[in-house]
Protein backbone atom coordinates (compact mmCIF):
# COMPACT_ATOMS: atom_id res chain seq x y z
CA UNK A 1 0.00 0.00 0.00
CA UNK A 2 2.83 2.28 0.93
CA UNK A 3 4.46 1.54 -2.40
CA UNK A 4 1.24 2.36 -4.28
CA UNK A 5 0.91 5.68 -2.44
CA UNK A 6 4.50 6.55 -3.26
CA UNK A 7 3.90 5.79 -6.93
CA UNK A 8 0.76 7.91 -6.96
CA UNK A 9 2.62 10.79 -5.30
CA UNK A 10 5.50 10.52 -7.75
CA UNK A 11 3.09 10.42 -10.70
CA UNK A 12 1.28 13.50 -9.39
CA UNK A 13 4.57 15.40 -9.04
CA UNK A 14 5.64 14.45 -12.56
CA UNK A 15 2.35 15.71 -13.96
CA UNK A 16 2.59 18.94 -11.98
CA UNK A 17 6.25 19.67 -12.72
CA UNK A 18 5.89 20.78 -16.36
CA UNK A 19 3.19 23.29 -15.46
CA UNK A 20 5.55 24.99 -13.01
CA UNK A 21 8.46 24.99 -15.46
CA UNK A 22 6.60 25.79 -18.70
CA UNK A 23 8.52 28.38 -20.71
CA UNK A 24 6.74 31.42 -22.13
CA UNK A 25 5.72 31.46 -25.80
CA UNK A 26 8.51 33.52 -27.38
CA UNK A 27 8.57 34.83 -30.97
CA UNK A 28 11.67 36.34 -32.62
CA UNK A 29 11.89 38.31 -35.87
CA UNK A 30 15.17 37.34 -37.58
CA UNK A 31 17.69 34.52 -37.41
CA UNK A 32 20.67 36.27 -35.72
CA UNK A 33 18.46 37.51 -32.87
CA UNK A 34 16.63 34.18 -32.71
CA UNK A 35 20.00 32.48 -32.20
CA UNK A 36 20.76 34.64 -29.16
CA UNK A 37 17.29 34.02 -27.71
CA UNK A 38 17.59 30.27 -28.38
CA UNK A 39 20.94 30.22 -26.57
CA UNK A 40 19.42 31.76 -23.46
CA UNK A 41 16.37 29.48 -23.61
CA UNK A 42 18.37 26.25 -23.99
CA UNK A 43 17.00 23.54 -21.72
CA UNK A 44 13.86 25.60 -21.06
CA UNK A 45 12.09 26.04 -24.38
CA UNK A 46 12.46 26.97 -28.03
CA UNK A 47 11.55 30.38 -29.48
CA UNK A 48 9.60 30.67 -32.75
CA UNK A 49 11.16 32.41 -35.75
CA UNK A 50 9.31 34.66 -38.20
CA UNK A 51 11.80 35.26 -41.06
CA UNK A 52 12.81 31.70 -41.91
CA UNK A 53 15.07 30.19 -44.55
CA UNK A 54 16.80 32.52 -46.97
CA UNK A 55 14.20 35.30 -46.65
CA UNK A 56 15.39 38.81 -45.78
CA UNK A 57 13.69 41.23 -43.36
CA UNK A 58 14.19 43.96 -45.97
CA UNK A 59 11.76 42.33 -48.38
CA UNK A 60 9.69 40.03 -46.14
CA UNK A 61 5.89 39.76 -46.30
CA UNK A 62 3.97 38.48 -43.28
CA UNK A 63 2.25 35.08 -43.52
CA UNK A 64 -0.97 34.13 -41.71
CA UNK A 65 1.06 31.69 -39.60
CA UNK A 66 3.29 34.58 -38.50
CA UNK A 67 0.27 36.61 -37.41
CA UNK A 68 -1.07 33.63 -35.45
CA UNK A 69 2.29 33.14 -33.74
CA UNK A 70 2.41 36.79 -32.72
CA UNK A 71 -1.10 36.69 -31.26
CA UNK A 72 -0.14 33.64 -29.17
CA UNK A 73 3.16 35.13 -27.96
CA UNK A 74 3.93 36.20 -24.44
CA UNK A 75 7.24 37.82 -25.49
CA UNK A 76 8.30 39.18 -28.90
CA UNK A 77 11.90 40.17 -29.70
CA UNK A 78 12.80 42.28 -32.73
CA UNK A 79 15.49 44.79 -33.68
CA UNK A 80 13.17 47.68 -34.52
CA UNK A 81 10.90 49.26 -37.16
CA UNK A 82 13.81 50.54 -39.21
CA UNK A 83 14.85 46.97 -40.00
CA UNK A 84 11.76 44.74 -39.78
CA UNK A 85 9.32 47.28 -41.21
CA UNK A 86 6.88 44.46 -42.01
CA UNK A 87 6.34 43.96 -38.25
CA UNK A 88 5.52 47.55 -37.38
CA UNK A 89 1.73 47.43 -37.93
CA UNK A 90 1.21 43.80 -36.77
CA UNK A 91 2.91 44.57 -33.47
CA UNK A 92 0.83 47.71 -33.00
CA UNK A 93 -2.28 45.60 -33.60
CA UNK A 94 -1.43 42.93 -31.02
CA UNK A 95 -4.27 42.29 -28.59
CA UNK A 96 -2.56 39.54 -26.61
CA UNK A 97 -0.77 41.82 -24.18
CA UNK A 98 2.60 40.37 -25.25
CA UNK A 99 5.78 42.02 -24.04
CA UNK A 100 7.43 43.49 -27.16
CA UNK A 101 11.17 44.13 -26.82
CA UNK A 102 12.97 46.36 -29.32
CA UNK A 103 16.56 45.17 -28.96
CA UNK A 104 18.06 48.17 -30.76
CA UNK A 105 17.16 50.04 -27.55
CA UNK A 106 18.87 47.55 -25.22
CA UNK A 107 21.08 49.17 -22.56
CA UNK A 108 24.74 49.16 -23.56
CA UNK A 109 24.16 48.96 -27.33
CA UNK A 110 26.65 50.98 -29.35
CA UNK A 111 24.84 52.78 -32.16
CA UNK A 112 26.34 54.06 -35.39
CA UNK A 113 24.86 56.54 -37.83
CA UNK A 114 23.38 55.22 -41.05
CA UNK A 115 25.79 56.05 -43.87
CA UNK A 116 25.04 58.31 -46.80
CA UNK A 117 25.61 57.09 -50.34
CA UNK A 118 26.48 53.64 -51.61
CA UNK A 119 30.05 54.63 -52.31
CA UNK A 120 30.54 56.32 -48.90
CA UNK A 121 32.17 59.35 -50.54
CA UNK A 122 32.44 61.17 -47.21
CA UNK A 123 33.51 58.07 -45.28
CA UNK A 124 36.81 58.44 -43.40
CA UNK A 125 38.46 55.19 -42.31
CA UNK A 126 40.94 57.06 -40.16
CA UNK A 127 38.15 58.14 -37.82
CA UNK A 128 37.06 55.42 -35.39
CA UNK A 129 33.74 57.19 -35.00
CA UNK A 130 33.31 56.96 -38.77
CA UNK A 131 32.92 60.68 -39.33
CA UNK A 132 29.61 62.36 -38.49
CA UNK A 133 29.33 63.95 -41.91
CA UNK A 134 29.84 60.58 -43.58
CA UNK A 135 26.67 59.28 -41.96
CA UNK A 136 24.20 62.14 -42.24
CA UNK A 137 21.46 62.08 -44.84
CA UNK A 138 21.18 64.99 -47.23
CA UNK A 139 18.50 67.20 -45.75
CA UNK A 140 15.44 67.79 -47.85
CA UNK A 141 16.10 64.92 -50.26
CA UNK A 142 12.80 63.19 -50.88
CA UNK A 143 12.38 59.56 -49.97
CA UNK A 144 15.80 59.42 -48.40
CA UNK A 145 15.21 57.37 -45.28
CA UNK A 146 15.96 54.11 -47.22
CA UNK A 147 13.31 52.41 -45.10
CA UNK A 148 15.73 52.61 -42.18
CA UNK A 149 13.74 54.37 -39.47
CA UNK A 150 15.05 55.41 -36.08
CA UNK A 151 16.38 58.62 -37.53
CA UNK A 152 19.90 58.00 -38.78
CA UNK A 153 20.70 54.85 -36.77
CA UNK A 154 22.07 51.83 -38.63
CA UNK A 155 20.21 48.81 -37.21
CA UNK A 156 22.52 45.98 -38.35
CA UNK A 157 24.00 46.19 -34.86
CA UNK A 158 24.16 42.44 -34.18
CA UNK A 159 27.30 42.29 -36.37
CA UNK A 160 29.34 43.44 -33.37
CA UNK A 161 29.60 40.67 -30.72
CA UNK A 162 29.69 43.30 -27.99
CA UNK A 163 26.28 44.51 -29.13
CA UNK A 164 25.17 40.87 -29.14
CA UNK A 165 26.20 40.73 -25.46
CA UNK A 166 24.09 43.83 -24.72
CA UNK A 167 21.13 42.26 -26.53
CA UNK A 168 21.64 38.98 -24.67
CA UNK A 169 21.51 40.78 -21.32
CA UNK A 170 18.21 42.43 -22.28
CA UNK A 171 16.85 39.07 -23.49
CA UNK A 172 17.78 37.33 -20.23
CA UNK A 173 16.22 40.12 -18.14
CA UNK A 174 12.98 39.99 -20.15
CA UNK A 175 12.71 36.20 -19.97
CA UNK A 176 13.42 36.18 -16.24
CA UNK A 177 10.66 38.72 -15.64
CA UNK A 178 8.23 36.75 -17.81
CA UNK A 179 9.25 33.37 -16.40
CA UNK A 180 10.84 33.69 -12.92
CA UNK A 181 10.60 29.92 -12.33
CA UNK A 182 13.38 29.43 -14.87
CA UNK A 183 15.50 32.41 -13.82
CA UNK A 184 18.44 30.21 -12.82
CA UNK A 185 18.59 28.53 -16.21
CA UNK A 186 18.39 31.84 -18.08
CA UNK A 187 21.22 33.31 -15.99
CA UNK A 188 23.45 30.25 -16.45
CA UNK A 189 22.80 30.28 -20.18
CA UNK A 190 23.59 34.01 -20.38
CA UNK A 191 26.90 33.46 -18.60
CA UNK A 192 27.80 30.66 -21.02
CA UNK A 193 26.75 32.77 -24.02
CA UNK A 194 28.86 35.72 -22.89
CA UNK A 195 31.92 33.47 -22.69
CA UNK A 196 31.26 32.20 -26.22
CA UNK A 197 30.84 35.77 -27.49
CA UNK A 198 34.13 36.87 -25.92
CA UNK A 199 35.89 33.89 -27.53
CA UNK A 200 34.26 34.70 -30.87
CA UNK A 201 35.42 38.32 -30.63
CA UNK A 202 39.00 37.20 -30.02
CA UNK A 203 38.85 34.73 -32.90
CA UNK A 204 37.47 37.29 -35.36
CA UNK A 205 40.14 39.81 -34.35
CA UNK A 206 42.78 37.23 -35.20
CA UNK A 207 41.06 36.10 -38.42
CA UNK A 208 40.85 39.54 -40.06
CA UNK A 209 44.16 40.92 -38.78
CA UNK A 210 46.08 40.07 -41.99
CA UNK A 211 43.54 41.77 -44.31
CA UNK A 212 42.54 44.89 -42.36
CA UNK A 213 44.11 47.27 -44.87
CA UNK A 214 42.58 45.70 -48.00
CA UNK A 215 39.51 47.62 -49.31
CA UNK A 216 36.43 45.72 -50.46
CA UNK A 217 32.89 46.44 -51.65
CA UNK A 218 29.71 44.84 -50.28
CA UNK A 219 26.24 44.36 -51.77
CA UNK A 220 24.45 46.57 -49.24
CA UNK A 221 25.60 48.65 -46.32
CA UNK A 222 25.01 46.06 -43.59
CA UNK A 223 28.55 45.70 -42.26
CA UNK A 224 29.31 48.97 -40.53
CA UNK A 225 29.29 47.41 -37.05
CA UNK A 226 31.63 44.59 -38.10
CA UNK A 227 33.85 47.18 -39.78
CA UNK A 228 33.83 49.44 -36.74
CA UNK A 229 34.69 46.59 -34.35
CA UNK A 230 37.45 44.97 -36.39
CA UNK A 231 38.72 47.98 -38.41
CA UNK A 232 38.36 46.31 -41.81
CA UNK A 233 38.04 48.52 -44.89
CA UNK A 234 34.59 48.56 -46.47
CA UNK A 235 35.10 50.88 -49.43
CA UNK A 236 31.45 51.09 -50.42
CA UNK A 237 28.24 49.23 -51.17
CA UNK A 238 26.44 48.53 -54.43
CA UNK A 239 23.13 49.62 -52.92
CA UNK A 240 22.24 51.45 -49.72
CA UNK A 241 18.99 49.52 -49.28
CA UNK A 242 18.68 46.03 -50.75
CA UNK A 243 14.96 46.45 -51.40
CA UNK A 244 15.87 49.09 -54.03
CA UNK A 245 18.15 47.76 -56.77
CA UNK A 246 20.69 50.26 -58.11
CA UNK A 247 20.33 51.89 -61.49
CA UNK A 248 22.95 52.14 -64.21
CA UNK A 249 24.41 55.34 -62.73
CA UNK A 250 25.03 53.73 -59.33
CA UNK A 251 26.57 50.64 -60.94
CA UNK A 252 28.86 52.89 -62.96
CA UNK A 253 29.87 54.78 -59.79
CA UNK A 254 30.72 51.58 -57.96
CA UNK A 255 32.64 50.26 -60.96
CA UNK A 256 34.72 53.44 -60.97
CA UNK A 257 35.15 53.26 -57.19
CA UNK A 258 36.53 49.72 -57.38
CA UNK A 259 39.17 50.88 -59.86
CA UNK A 260 39.94 54.07 -57.93
CA UNK A 261 40.38 52.38 -54.55
CA UNK A 262 41.90 49.18 -55.81
CA UNK A 263 39.18 47.19 -54.08
CA UNK A 264 40.23 43.56 -54.37
CA UNK A 265 36.90 41.84 -53.60
CA UNK A 266 33.21 42.55 -54.13
CA UNK A 267 30.83 40.54 -51.98
CA UNK A 268 27.35 39.34 -52.91
CA UNK A 269 24.65 38.19 -50.49
CA UNK A 270 22.70 34.94 -50.94
CA UNK A 271 19.27 36.61 -50.67
CA UNK A 272 19.82 39.07 -53.54
CA UNK A 273 20.60 39.11 -57.25
CA UNK A 274 24.26 38.03 -57.72
CA UNK A 275 24.49 39.08 -61.38
CA UNK A 276 25.07 42.69 -60.30
CA UNK A 277 28.36 41.64 -58.75
CA UNK A 278 29.64 40.35 -62.09
CA UNK A 279 28.60 43.61 -63.74
CA UNK A 280 30.47 45.87 -61.31
CA UNK A 281 33.69 43.82 -61.31
CA UNK A 282 33.82 43.42 -65.10
CA UNK A 283 37.00 44.98 -66.43
CA UNK A 284 38.61 45.21 -62.98
CA UNK A 285 41.00 42.82 -61.19
CA UNK A 286 38.51 42.45 -58.31
CA UNK A 287 37.25 39.00 -57.32
CA UNK A 288 33.80 38.11 -56.00
CA UNK A 289 32.78 36.44 -52.76
CA UNK A 290 29.68 36.01 -50.62
CA UNK A 291 28.78 37.35 -47.18
CA UNK A 292 25.65 36.38 -45.26
CA UNK A 293 24.91 39.07 -42.62
CA UNK A 294 21.37 37.80 -41.98
CA UNK A 295 22.32 34.09 -41.95
CA UNK A 296 19.95 33.21 -44.78
CA UNK A 297 21.87 30.05 -45.66
CA UNK A 298 22.23 28.75 -42.09
CA UNK A 299 19.97 26.57 -39.99
CA UNK A 300 18.28 28.44 -37.14
CA UNK A 301 19.40 27.64 -33.61
CA UNK A 302 21.82 28.56 -30.81
CA UNK A 303 24.94 28.03 -32.95
CA UNK A 304 23.77 30.11 -35.92
CA UNK A 305 25.10 33.44 -34.62
CA UNK A 306 28.60 32.03 -34.25
CA UNK A 307 28.52 30.28 -37.63
CA UNK A 308 27.35 33.51 -39.27
CA UNK A 309 30.01 35.73 -37.72
CA UNK A 310 32.84 33.25 -38.27
CA UNK A 311 31.61 32.82 -41.85
CA UNK A 312 31.89 36.56 -42.49
CA UNK A 313 35.42 36.66 -41.09
CA UNK A 314 36.51 33.58 -43.04
CA UNK A 315 34.95 34.79 -46.33
CA UNK A 316 36.68 38.16 -46.02
CA UNK A 317 40.06 36.59 -45.30
CA UNK A 318 39.74 33.95 -48.05
CA UNK A 319 38.79 36.38 -50.82
CA UNK A 320 41.05 39.25 -49.80
CA UNK A 321 44.07 36.99 -49.32
CA UNK A 322 43.59 35.23 -52.65
CA UNK A 323 43.16 38.56 -54.42
CA UNK A 324 46.32 40.11 -53.02
Amino acid sequence: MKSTSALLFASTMLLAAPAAADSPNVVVSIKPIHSLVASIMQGVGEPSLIVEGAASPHTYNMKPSNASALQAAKVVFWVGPGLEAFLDKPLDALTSGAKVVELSEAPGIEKLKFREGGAFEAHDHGDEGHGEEGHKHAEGEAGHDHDHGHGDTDLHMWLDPMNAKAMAAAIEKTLTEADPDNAGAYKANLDALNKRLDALDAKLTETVAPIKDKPFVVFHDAYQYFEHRYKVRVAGSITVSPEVLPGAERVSQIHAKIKELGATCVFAEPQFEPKLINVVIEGTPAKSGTLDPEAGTLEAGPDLYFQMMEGIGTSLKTCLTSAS
Side-chain angles (χ1 to χ4, degrees):
M1 194 74 176
K2 183 178 179 181
S3 175
T4 303
S5 298
L7 285 170
L8 285 170
F9 177 76
S11 298
T12 302
M13 291 304 292
L14 285 170
L15 288 170
D22 274 352
S23 62
N25 192 351
V26 178
V27 176
V28 190
S29 59
I30 60 173
K31 281 182 169 180
I33 305 306
H34 177 271
S35 182
L36 299 176
V37 177
S39 292
I40 294 174
M41 292 186 71
Q42 281 192 104
V44 178
E46 294 184 9
S48 298
L49 173 64
I50 294 180
V51 184
E52 297 180 307
S56 169
H58 296 286
T59 55
Y60 192 74
N61 292 312
M62 284 277 287
K63 301 174 183 177
S65 58
N66 299 147
S68 298
L70 286 175
Q71 288 297 342
K74 185 172 183 180
V75 180
V76 179
F77 292 107
W78 67 323
V79 179
L83 186 84
E84 310 100 317
F86 69 90
L87 272 178
D88 205 7
K89 290 181 180 178
L91 289 179
D92 282 344
L94 278 183
T95 58
S96 61
K99 172 74 171 176
V100 178
V101 180
E102 193 174 322
L103 288 171
S104 59
E105 299 299 321
I109 286 276
E110 180 179 18
K111 297 181 180 181
L112 299 175
K113 296 286 188 179
F114 188 69
R115 290 195 281 218
E116 170 62 31
F120 308 160
E121 286 79 2
H123 184 52
D124 180 6
H125 286 281
D127 179 2
E128 289 193 7
H130 285 268
E132 189 71 14
E133 291 304 314
H135 301 297
K136 286 184 178 178
H137 296 305
E139 291 184 13
E141 189 169 339
H144 213 67
D145 64 358
H146 307 296
D147 205 20
H148 287 257
H150 274 215
D152 287 338
T153 301
D154 183 343
L155 295 183
H156 297 87
M157 47 190 60
W158 64 86
L159 291 176
D160 179 342
M162 298 304 102
N163 276 347
K165 288 180 74 171
M167 290 180 175
I171 292 165
E172 185 269 341
K173 181 175 184 291
T174 301
L175 291 175
T176 295
E177 290 171 352
D179 179 26
D181 288 344
N182 286 306
Y186 296 137
K187 179 62 167 63
N189 286 339
L190 175 64
D191 292 342
L193 177 58
N194 281 335
K195 289 178 181 177
R196 288 191 73 186
L197 289 169
D198 285 336
L200 171 68
D201 185 50
K203 183 175 183 178
L204 287 171
T205 300
E206 182 180 352
T207 297
V208 303
I211 50 92
K212 284 202 297 186
D213 295 327
K214 298 180 183 295
F216 58 95
V217 170
V218 295
F219 180 78
H220 89 287
D221 189 17
Y223 305 90
Q224 186 178 187
Y225 288 92
F226 191 97
E227 176 187 359
H228 182 65
R229 180 72 186 169
Y230 300 109
K231 306 301 183 285
V232 293
R233 289 191 61 195
V234 180
S237 66
I238 293 173
T239 179
V240 178
S241 290
E243 63 270 22
V244 181
L245 291 178
E249 183 179 356
R250 167 57 70 197
V251 170
S252 177
Q253 287 174 351
I254 294 298
H255 190 273
K257 198 74 173 178
I258 292 169
K259 288 187 172 181
E260 175 193 337
L261 295 174
T264 53
C265 286
V266 180
F267 291 94
E269 292 177 22
Q271 297 94 333
F272 302 106
E273 179 56 65
K275 291 179 182 177
L276 278 171
I277 304 300
N278 295 327
V279 172
V280 297
I281 66 174
E282 186 177 357
T284 78
K287 295 189 175 183
S288 63
T290 301
L291 300 176
D292 193 3
E294 293 159 4
T297 60
L298 300 176
E299 184 177 347
D303 293 329
L304 173 142
Y305 181 83
F306 299 89
Q307 294 167 352
M308 176 192 68
M309 294 295 287
E310 289 176 16
I312 291 172
T314 300
S315 293
L316 288 174
K317 183 177 181 180
T318 299
C319 188
L320 292 169
T321 300
S322 67
S324 59

